[in-house]
Amino acid sequence: MTVSKNSGNLVEHLLAGDRRAAARLITMVENETDDHHEIMRRIYPNTGHAMILGVTGAAGVGKSSLTDHVIGKLREQGKTVGVVLVDPSSPFTGGAFLGDRIRLQRHARDEGVFIRSMASRGYLGGLSRATYDVIRIIEAMGRDVIIVETLGAGQDEIDVIHIAQTCLLVVTPGMGDDIQAMKAGLMEVAHIVVLNKADLEGTDTCLRHLQATMDVARFDEGAWVPRIVATVSVASKREHIQGLDELMAAIAEHQEYLHKNEAIDRVKFQRIEQELGLIFKDALQKLVLKGLKGTGKKKKYIQKIMEGKSDPYSVVEEVMKTYILSREERQT
Amino acid sequence: MSKKRKKRIKVLITKVGLDGHDRGAKVIASLLKEAGMEVIYLGMYQTPEGIVKTAMDEDVDVIGVSYLSGEHLVFTPKIVEEMRKNNLDDVLLIAGGTFPVEDIPTMEEMGIDRVFRAGTLSGEIMEYINKNVRES
Amino acid sequence: MDEARKGKKTSQREVDWDNYLKAYYEKPASFKSWSGYDLKDIYTPRDRVKEDYHRNVADAGTYPFTRGIHQNMFRGRLWTKREVVGIGSPEDTHARLRYLFEHGGSGLNTIADVTYEMGLDADHPWAVNEVGLTGVNITSIKDMETLTKDIPLDKVSWSLITASTAASVTMAQYVAVAENGGYEPAILRGSIQNDPIHFRYCGFRPACPLDLSIKLGADVMEYCTRRLPKWYYTTVNMYDLREQGITAPQEVAFGFGIAMCYIDELIRRGLDIDEFAPRFTFYVSCHIDLFEEVAKIRAARRMWAKLMKEKYGAKHPKSMQFRFAVHTAGCSLVPQQPLNNIVRIAYEALAAVLAGVQSLHCCSYDEPMCLPTEEAHLQALRTQQILAYETGVTNVADPLGGSYYVETLTDELEEESWKIMKQVEELGGMEEAIRTEWLDRQFEAEAVKRQKELDGGEKLVVGVNLFTTEQEKETPLGIQRVSEQSARKQIEDVRNLKRNRDMAKLSDAIKRLRDDAGEGKNVIPAMVQATQAFGTTGELLGIVREVFGYPYDPMETVESPFG
């Protein structure tokens, strides 16, 4: 069965669960082809029902190996899984090494797992509008759970909290990640803090620090208190892998909490709010930049500012007036 | 469908079977990234099915296979067959490694688009990919 | 890059006379050694004022052995001309062994294929496609019998190249066959590569987890020390490390680091350094920069002597001798204009001999393309023979000794190697460097550097970025194909063997192996017994792996048949 490149066709196949269609549509959405908006419009109504797990943390903490295990556990539960792995693109060449997949290859032939690697393409911290769209596409294809894995260490970079219902922050002992994370206030932002490589020295100290941070933080009545789970996701011997069942239990607990308290609605609200914001930003930028670029005005404005004859705020006000007012004028 | 901005070439670099010589594959992956491509590096012990499945889900533009243990004639037909079964005919299939020059036409007949022997300068590979990768 | 040197097709009709003139006045592109050392235009006695000949250089055969481990070097005995052989089935390999032997090869040398090194039987699902492609798979005692058929094991010196944890099984298989053939193990001469720690970097990580590598590697070493006094139980392989693209001092530093892991383990087991060190050997690369390679090896000899004496307290001179075999550098060869490789190999072999090698394998010119045909294999052997019998380089020990240049370079390489070893110490030792993947990153970084040097013309290779020509249409001395039939027959034989052997006898032997492994005993004796009961490579290794907490099958596809 040949899947044609016609996007309408592709969307149909996607909604019927076709992987190839999903793969192609994701590419089109990443590359912002002409019918990108039309595609998203058609897909959107079929999304919003999957469980979304976020996995974030600094490089080297073992996110991928954890994701690998979580996928395995979910599959044991009979759930279908979609995975989005976001890696940073080089700010200089735009290239990217999407190497995390290597750790998930044992799922490569499992029909119930769909894995897609994405380069951040300029968005440090990982979550561009494209990532939101890609997750919607995978949802529309039909997956029970979607795992989004991103690089994140600072508060700005924990973007994934906006999209994930349950957010896992992965740290390791003795590398200062725990301290960094605590400083950045991430402890309160993540739903589950995973202390991976818990077989290393310094684990006990780290656990104590984490617990202490949790104890001092203020949580509202009935609010979710972040769980701390110690895991060992990589070991040369199977028997040394630990903490996975506890992790799955914590995830299930949080999901239950969300659904029981209808906090799930707030989460869905936030996700859409984020999307809206990003799409707006994108659209406005395109609109304005298109116009400025075409007439060479951008360069002229910048030159003006450099010569001290203007400032960025004035420029923006002027441009906004021109573009938005002129539309209003056109309507009347 | 027109080509819009932000289009990056996505390349899958992989080995297949038991062969463990990965120096070349890793170097090429690194250099392709430096040249601005998005590289998915699968490493060792991949199967033809796994490679093609991944290529499909990741919608790659190029599959690059590294062969250094005489296994090129064994696995190439299997990989090409998987690609055909899954309609990946527009994906570029290239190979690198150690082979006698006589096997190159054979590999091309089997379905490899271009074979790069050891000793090839990396610019040649970049140029080939940029020139021959599919539109869209 | 200079136009005169850029790829100009020799099929051009017009000669560019301006370029010809430029080529006439051409200067070298760089004044650095291959590993990056800045070199002076000449070295003089002034560079050697601080030299202490007797302490630091000394005659050949005298501590610290810089000039050679034997006083009379090649006058006493030529190096062993050991060409590596591994083609298809044990029968095919056996045939090629005889061929080389009949043409003057002085040592037998067989290499395992990827399936065997991974510890898989020929009938394993991952093995069936690749059996025999680049070496020989020895699944059972029958295969080893075929390989050694009609060869008097008491007269020959056999080098078994199995590097991974499977070397433990190889040793057991060889001893089993020897015992069955009526030979006393104590008279057996030869060597086994047995360096599983390094082999993880050659793509055999599933078969070579660090703890198992040390355990099985040391088991073979200990077993041989006690029972095979004429056997060299390890050839710590720095050659493969160099093939990753690293420099000469890194090769020595990392190789020594790995060697020390084994030595520390043997000492921990209660062996005395002088008991086992005399049989410790190395596998070294000889790359294309002749003087650097000679200097590297001289430096290695001096360093090893010092290490053995000062760090390990060795007393016997034999313990302090850096005994080594050379494999000419495969990564220096290219498929473009393949016959050029014969020349490269000759220069590299020359370096090995000038450096005082004990045993030499010359690559065949087709190394970057395919397995060698008889002609190609013979050519490699002839390279050694011309060196040995025509050039006269064997007449004098350490002929380059005393060269102001070589002595200086020796010192510099030694200093750099010590620095790198110190760096590894500061990381927490070699095991830490391996576990944290620090070593992987060194290899990756150097490999990218080498490629960029080639791409940018910093390093020149004729036929690649210099004097390129149209791609040739055929491989000059033919291609050696591996018979698919042979492979299928071997696989079928293995299946038959598994169906027809005495399972009761085997189960007893397997139980003993499992118990010995569990009690921390040396597993080789049990492996010998299990081999004689027709236990296979995958089974023997699998049982030990399970005891150590690893999956029975390195590829995690097959289950243990022993429950």
Side-chain angles (χ1 to χ4, degrees):
Chain A
M1 181 196 65
T2 325
V3 174
S4 77
K5 291 191 181 165
N6 175 290
S7 62
N9 221 317
L10 282 174
V11 171
E12 257 177 69
H13 287 301
L14 171 78
L15 297 177
D18 187 288
R19 295 172 86 100
R20 185 92 215 265
R24 297 256 63 223
L25 285 168
I26 290 174
T27 305
M28 287 160 72
V29 147
E30 269 192 295
N31 294 338
E32 293 182 48
T33 54
D34 287 336
D35 37 11
H36 161 218
H37 290 189
E38 180 57 33
I39 292 170
M40 291 312 298
R41 257 193 283 261
R42 293 190 53 185
I43 288 173
Y44 214 89
N46 300 282
T47 67
H49 46 266
M51 168 167 119
I52 304 185
L53 272 180
V55 179
T56 192
V61 298
K63 294 188 291 297
S64 300
S65 49
L66 275 170
T67 302
D68 174 43
H69 289 298
V70 170
I71 296 172
K73 294 280 181 190
L74 288 169
R75 292 296 291 138
E76 275 168 37
Q77 293 170 14
K79 303 219 165 82
T80 56
V81 184
V83 186
V84 181
L85 306 168
V86 187
D87 271 301
S89 302
S90 158
F92 306 111
T93 66
F97 191 78
L98 308 175
D100 277 358
R101 221 203 135 110
I102 221 180
R103 300 201 198 277
L104 310 185
Q105 274 308 92
R106 70 169 162 123
H107 303 288
R109 287 194 280 173
D110 182 349
E111 284 293 332
V113 182
F114 180 90
I115 302 172
R116 180 75 178 222
S117 310
M118 285 181 73
S120 62
R121 295 192 186 176
Y123 284 80
L124 213 56
L127 291 204
S128 59
R129 180 218 27 87
T131 317
Y132 283 86
D133 286 348
V134 168
I135 295 170
R136 293 272 172 200
I137 292 174
I138 300 176
E139 262 186 311
M141 172 174 72
R143 293 285 132 160
D144 300 318
V145 183
I146 299 185
I147 303 175
V148 185
E149 194 195 291
T150 71
L151 199 63
Q155 183 123 43
D156 295 338
E157 289 150 17
I158 199 159
D159 230 1
V160 74
I161 188 69
H162 297 296
I163 190 169
Q165 296 160 359
T166 303
C167 184
L168 271 53
L169 171 66
V170 187
V171 297
T172 52
M175 293 184 194
D177 301 323
D178 45 328
I179 317 287
Q180 288 307 314
M182 285 190 273
K183 277 200 198 147
L186 293 173
M187 302 282 106
E188 298 128 57
V189 163
H191 303 115
I192 301 174
V193 177
V194 184
L195 180 63
N196 197 26
K197 304 196 187 184
D199 52 344
L200 289 182
E201 272 201 42
T203 297
D204 292 325
T205 321
C206 189
L207 274 171
R208 268 179 287 146
H209 280 157
L210 291 170
Q211 198 52 58
T213 312
M214 240 25 103
D215 293 339
V216 223
R218 265 170 276 129
F219 294 101
D220 292 331
E221 188 71 38
W224 170 263
V225 176
R227 297 281 184 276
I228 302 169
V229 181
T231 58
V232 177
S233 64
V234 180
S236 43
K237 303 187 193 178
R238 267 194 207 130
E239 68 224 21
H240 294 163
I241 308 275
Q242 293 165 25
L244 299 174
D245 290 324
E246 286 84 346
L247 178 59
M248 297 309 291
I251 293 172
E253 237 190 282
H254 183 247
Q255 282 287 312
E256 207 191 299
Y257 163 83
L258 285 180
H259 284 94
K260 208 157 56 168
N261 298 309
E262 283 153 17
I264 192 83
D265 289 331
R266 195 166 54 236
V267 169
K268 292 187 180 183
F269 185 95
Q270 280 183 357
R271 178 185 177 188
I272 297 170
E273 197 178 18
Q274 271 299 105
E275 280 176 318
L276 215 48
L278 287 170
I279 297 169
F280 256 130
K281 214 164 55 169
D282 237 21
L284 284 169
Q285 272 188 325
K286 275 200 198 108
L287 181 69
V288 175
L289 286 177
K290 217 159 132 190
L292 287 185
K293 211 173 177 191
T295 55
K297 281 203 177 140
K298 184 169 152 192
K299 239 191 182 163
K300 289 200 188 118
Y301 278 127
I302 296 177
Q303 201 57 45
K304 228 172 150 187
I305 297 171
M306 279 177 70
E307 290 164 11
K309 296 192 188 137
S310 186
D311 66 87
Y313 288 92
S314 309
V315 169
V316 170
E317 220 182 281
E318 187 180 323
V319 170
M320 293 284 282
K321 277 207 197 117
T322 315
Y323 281 91
I324 294 175
L325 270 177
S326 68
R327 282 179 148 244
E328 281 174 2
E329 278 165 14
R330 260 185 264 129
Q331 261 146 35
T332 52
Chain B
M1 254 180 316
S2 70
K3 208 199 311 201
K4 274 275 188 118
R5 63 186 158 97
K6 288 195 196 170
K7 159 72 182 161
R8 295 251 170 252
I9 298 176
K10 222 170 171 188
V11 185
L12 183 83
I13 300 288
T14 185
K15 297 193 66 65
V16 61
L18 293 171
D19 177 25
H21 297 86
D22 65 351
R23 171 180 166 181
K26 280 186 175 170
V27 166
I28 288 296
S30 248
L31 296 178
L32 288 177
K33 174 204 164 168
E34 284 182 27
M37 302 188 197
E38 290 175 356
V39 182
I40 294 180
Y41 181 74
L42 289 188
M44 300 182 235
Y45 319 129
Q46 301 303 311
T47 59
E49 298 81 5
I51 292 168
V52 174
K53 217 31 184 323
T54 304
M56 242 173 49
D57 288 354
E58 297 283 0
D59 199 23
V60 303
D61 300 302
V62 186
I63 296 177
V65 192
S66 158
Y67 293 121
L68 276 105
S69 285
E71 74 280 36
H72 50 289
L73 296 181
V74 170
F75 287 111
T76 298
K78 295 185 207 260
I79 293 174
V80 172
E81 176 57 31
E82 279 301 310
M83 285 174 75
R84 290 212 177 113
K85 265 201 316 212
N86 291 286
N87 296 301
L88 291 190
D89 298 309
D90 58 349
V91 173
L92 216 57
L93 179 63
I94 61 178
T98 52
F99 354 80
V101 78
E102 289 87 336
D103 285 356
I104 296 178
T106 314
M107 289 166 75
E108 286 171 356
E109 269 159 51
M110 285 175 170
I112 296 197
D113 293 306
R114 179 68 178 266
V115 174
F116 296 100
R117 302 191 289 172
T120 305
L121 300 180
S122 60
E124 195 184 321
I125 302 177
M126 311 292 172
E127 204 187 306
Y128 179 79
I129 292 176
N130 278 310
K131 273 213 181 99
N132 293 282
V133 83
R134 63 189 173 176
E135 280 293 311
S136 114
Chain C
M1 202 172 46
D2 192 9
E3 269 305 319
R5 284 194 266 108
K6 264 215 190 116
K8 276 201 174 275
K9 307 272 189 254
T10 53
S11 55
Q12 262 184 288
R13 311 227 92 218
E14 300 267 331
V15 179
D16 188 336
W17 293 108
D18 283 334
N19 271 332
Y20 173 77
L21 205 60
K22 274 198 204 143
Y24 186 76
Y25 284 105
E26 195 178 5
K27 295 188 216 217
S30 114
F31 305 122
K32 289 186 196 263
S33 74
W34 192 96
S35 297
Y37 283 94
D38 283 310
L39 301 171
K40 290 176 156 180
D41 51 2
I42 192 166
Y43 288 80
T44 67
R46 276 197 300 277
D47 294 294
R48 305 307 309 154
V49 280
K50 293 232 186 86
E51 178 175 287
D52 185 340
Y53 182 81
H54 291 287
R55 238 178 69 118
N56 226 21
V57 186
D59 292 348
T62 308
Y63 180 91
F65 305 105
T66 315
R67 306 196 69 183
I69 60 175
H70 302 301
Q71 183 249 325
N72 52 9
M73 282 311 295
F74 299 126
R75 281 199 188 194
R77 212 194 96 194
L78 289 174
W79 70 90
T80 311
K81 296 172 215 63
R82 243 185 241 282
E83 289 297 320
V84 174
V85 178
I87 302 172
S89 66
E91 274 105 347
D92 300 333
T93 306
H94 178 95
R96 182 58 67 84
L97 271 178
R98 292 203 70 115
Y99 176 81
L100 286 171
F101 205 69
E102 278 155 20
H103 285 82
S106 54
L108 304 174
N109 189 341
T110 48
I111 189 163
D113 74 350
V114 296
T115 66
Y116 187 38
E117 289 279 19
M118 193 61 94
L120 312 179
D121 294 341
D123 65 342
H124 187 289
W126 278 81
V128 290
N129 288 317
E130 302 183 65
V131 170
L133 285 180
T134 52
V136 65
N137 175 304
I138 302 172
T139 299
S140 74
I141 194 172
K142 291 211 165 136
D143 293 327
M144 187 58 94
E145 276 165 2
T146 309
L147 188 65
T148 57
K149 190 163 177 307
D150 296 335
I151 296 180
L153 298 184
D154 57 341
K155 296 207 166 73
V156 300
S157 164
W158 203 306
S159 176
L160 297 162
I161 304 187
T162 308
S164 74
T165 48
S168 55
V169 181
T170 309
M171 195 73 251
Q173 287 165 337
Y174 194 78
V175 168
V177 155
E179 277 183 4
N180 285 5
Y183 298 104
E184 273 296 316
I187 53 93
L188 296 174
R189 280 185 306 127
S191 70
I192 184 164
Q193 183 159 125
N194 185 38
D195 177 8
I197 295 177
H198 99 288
F199 219 42
R200 70 208 325 242
Y201 297 113
C202 300
F204 293 92
R205 221 162 280 218
C208 301
L210 197 49
D211 60 344
L212 205 56
S213 298
I214 296 176
K215 152 72 183 167
L216 289 175
D219 273 2
V220 174
M221 297 178 196
E222 189 185 36
Y223 180 86
C224 293
T225 301
R226 302 219 192 282
R227 316 235 198 147
L228 275 71
K230 298 192 181 194
W231 196 267
Y232 296 100
Y233 49 68
T234 187
T235 310
V236 170
N237 191 330
M238 22 177 120
Y239 164 78
D240 278 336
L241 305 182
R242 186 68 186 272
E243 288 288 293
Q244 296 285 339
I246 59 177
T247 62
Q250 283 174 318
E251 179 189 345
V252 175
F254 297 152
F256 281 0
I258 289 175
M260 292 196 291
C261 292
Y262 297 123
I263 293 178
D264 290 342
E265 171 63 16
L266 290 171
I267 289 177
R268 197 193 60 80
R269 292 187 185 197
L271 278 89
D272 185 65
I273 186 83
D274 287 314
E275 227 187 309
F276 65 88
R279 290 270 148 193
F280 207 94
T281 75
F282 288 87
Y283 212 31
V284 177
S285 175
C286 267
H287 212 291
I288 197 68
D289 183 334
L290 190 140
F291 291 111
E292 186 174 69
E293 294 303 296
V294 174
K296 170 191 86 183
I297 289 170
R298 298 172 93 249
R301 264 199 297 262
R302 185 189 298 159
M303 288 173 71
W304 189 248
K306 288 185 190 168
L307 258 166
M308 289 294 104
K309 181 166 185 215
E310 291 163 27
K311 181 175 158 88
Y312 289 105
K315 306 245 174 357
H316 199 309
K318 268 194 161 356
S319 301
M320 306 179 220
Q321 291 168 354
F322 178 76
R323 216 158 282 101
F324 67 106
V326 161
H327 186 306
T328 62
C331 65
S332 67
L333 309 176
V334 291
Q336 291 78 7
Q337 301 167 28
L339 291 178
N340 290 344
N341 290 330
I342 297 178
V343 179
R344 294 187 178 102
I345 292 159
Y347 292 148
E348 290 162 1
L350 176 60
V353 172
L354 290 173
V357 70
Q358 276 68 63
S359 167
L360 176 59
H361 162 78
C362 283
C363 285
S364 45
Y365 83 99
D366 48 18
E367 171 90 12
M369 290 122 65
C370 51
L371 285 179
T373 54
E374 281 183 350
E375 287 91 339
H377 232 148
L378 199 57
Q379 176 67 70
L381 182 57
R382 296 287 182 249
T383 304
Q384 296 208 42
Q385 290 162 338
I386 292 169
L387 206 47
Y389 301 116
E390 297 184 27
T391 64
V393 293
T394 54
N395 290 332
V396 174
D398 190 31
L400 289 179
S403 149
Y404 311 116
Y405 172 33
V406 173
E407 294 293 355
T408 307
L409 201 53
T410 304
D411 291 346
E412 283 177 7
L413 281 164
E414 182 190 358
E415 194 186 321
E416 183 65 26
S417 286
W418 284 129
K419 258 199 216 136
I420 298 169
M421 287 178 75
K422 185 143 186 276
Q423 204 185 354
V424 171
E425 273 311 306
E426 279 160 17
L427 285 171
M430 200 54 169
E431 283 184 48
E432 260 312 285
I434 293 173
R435 253 189 234 114
T436 55
E437 301 198 343
W438 179 85
L439 212 55
D440 286 89
R441 290 193 287 277
Q442 302 306 301
F443 293 148
E444 286 160 21
E446 292 295 317
V448 172
K449 263 194 219 160
R450 299 290 91 77
Q451 184 64 40
K452 288 185 170 170
E453 285 166 356
L454 212 58
D455 288 337
E458 254 179 79
K459 273 207 166 56
L460 297 173
V461 177
V462 172
V464 169
N465 55 6
L466 197 61
F467 305 120
T468 53
T469 52
E470 297 285 334
Q471 185 172 284
E472 64 281 356
K473 299 263 181 323
E474 51 179 32
T475 305
L477 299 178
I479 308 171
Q480 177 65 47
R481 298 281 181 198
V482 169
S483 156
E484 249 188 77
Q485 236 177 343
S486 287
R488 270 186 262 123
K489 179 173 180 300
Q490 189 178 6
I491 295 167
E492 203 39 54
D493 287 346
V494 166
R495 293 198 175 119
N496 284 331
L497 178 118
K498 287 184 179 175
R499 276 194 286 264
N500 298 320
R501 58 193 170 168
D502 180 346
M503 282 309 284
K505 190 162 168 228
L506 179 59
S507 295
D508 283 341
I510 292 291
K511 181 176 184 306
R512 179 194 166 185
L513 178 59
R514 194 182 271 132
D515 290 341
D516 283 2
E519 288 162 31
K521 292 198 183 138
N522 190 308
V523 301
I524 310 299
M527 282 191 172
V528 173
Q529 188 187 345
T531 300
Q532 284 164 338
F534 300 102
T536 63
T537 303
E539 289 163 355
L540 268 54
L541 259 179
I543 292 299
V544 178
R545 286 173 60 91
E546 280 183 320
V547 171
F548 279 78
Y550 293 103
Y552 172 80
D553 173 16
M555 303 310 292
E556 299 187 48
T557 311
V558 161
E559 295 287 324
S560 167
F562 300 106

